[in-house]
PDB file of all heavy atoms in Angstrom:
ATOM      1  N   GLY A   2     -10.863 -12.004  -6.974  1.00  0.00           N
ATOM      2  CA  GLY A   2      -9.576 -11.385  -6.689  1.00  0.00           C
ATOM      3  C   GLY A   2      -9.619  -9.966  -7.187  1.00  0.00           C
ATOM      4  O   GLY A   2     -10.331  -9.630  -8.134  1.00  0.00           O
ATOM      5  N   GLU A   9      -3.936 -10.201 -20.131  1.00  0.00           N
ATOM      6  CA  GLU A   9      -3.153 -10.973 -21.079  1.00  0.00           C
ATOM      7  C   GLU A   9      -2.329 -10.036 -21.953  1.00  0.00           C
ATOM      8  O   GLU A   9      -2.753  -8.933 -22.274  1.00  0.00           O
ATOM      9  CB  GLU A   9      -4.096 -11.792 -21.977  1.00  0.00           C
ATOM     10  CG  GLU A   9      -4.982 -12.772 -21.229  1.00  0.00           C
ATOM     11  CD  GLU A   9      -4.208 -13.962 -20.660  1.00  0.00           C
ATOM     12  OE1 GLU A   9      -3.220 -14.373 -21.302  1.00  0.00           O
ATOM     13  OE2 GLU A   9      -4.567 -14.449 -19.582  1.00  0.00           O
ATOM     14  N   THR A  41      11.314  -3.690   4.182  1.00  0.00           N
ATOM     15  CA  THR A  41      12.390  -4.335   4.932  1.00  0.00           C
ATOM     16  C   THR A  41      11.975  -4.464   6.396  1.00  0.00           C
ATOM     17  O   THR A  41      11.170  -3.687   6.914  1.00  0.00           O
ATOM     18  CB  THR A  41      13.700  -3.527   4.890  1.00  0.00           C
ATOM     19  OG1 THR A  41      13.442  -2.232   5.426  1.00  0.00           O
ATOM     20  CG2 THR A  41      14.231  -3.415   3.486  1.00  0.00           C
ATOM     21  N   ALA A 168     -21.491 -14.294  -0.295  1.00  0.00           N
ATOM     22  CA  ALA A 168     -21.025 -15.562  -0.882  1.00  0.00           C
ATOM     23  C   ALA A 168     -22.097 -16.624  -0.661  1.00  0.00           C
ATOM     24  O   ALA A 168     -22.702 -16.711   0.406  1.00  0.00           O
ATOM     25  CB  ALA A 168     -19.713 -15.995  -0.244  1.00  0.00           C
ATOM     26  N   ASP A 260     -30.881 -13.950 -14.369  1.00  0.00           N
ATOM     27  CA  ASP A 260     -32.089 -13.136 -14.503  1.00  0.00           C
ATOM     28  C   ASP A 260     -32.748 -13.323 -15.866  1.00  0.00           C
ATOM     29  O   ASP A 260     -33.950 -13.069 -16.010  1.00  0.00           O
ATOM     30  CB  ASP A 260     -31.776 -11.658 -14.244  1.00  0.00           C
ATOM     31  CG  ASP A 260     -31.417 -11.417 -12.775  1.00  0.00           C
ATOM     32  OD1 ASP A 260     -31.513 -12.387 -11.983  1.00  0.00           O
ATOM     33  OD2 ASP A 260     -31.027 -10.290 -12.431  1.00  0.00           O
ATOM     34  N   ALA A 295     -24.285 -13.437 -21.426  1.00  0.00           N
ATOM     35  CA  ALA A 295     -24.006 -12.819 -20.122  1.00  0.00           C
ATOM     36  C   ALA A 295     -22.626 -12.166 -20.087  1.00  0.00           C
ATOM     37  O   ALA A 295     -22.446 -11.103 -19.474  1.00  0.00           O
ATOM     38  CB  ALA A 295     -24.114 -13.877 -19.018  1.00  0.00           C
TER      39      ALA A 295
END
Side-chain angles (χ1 to χ4, degrees):
Chain A
E9 300 289 327
T41 58
D260 292 355

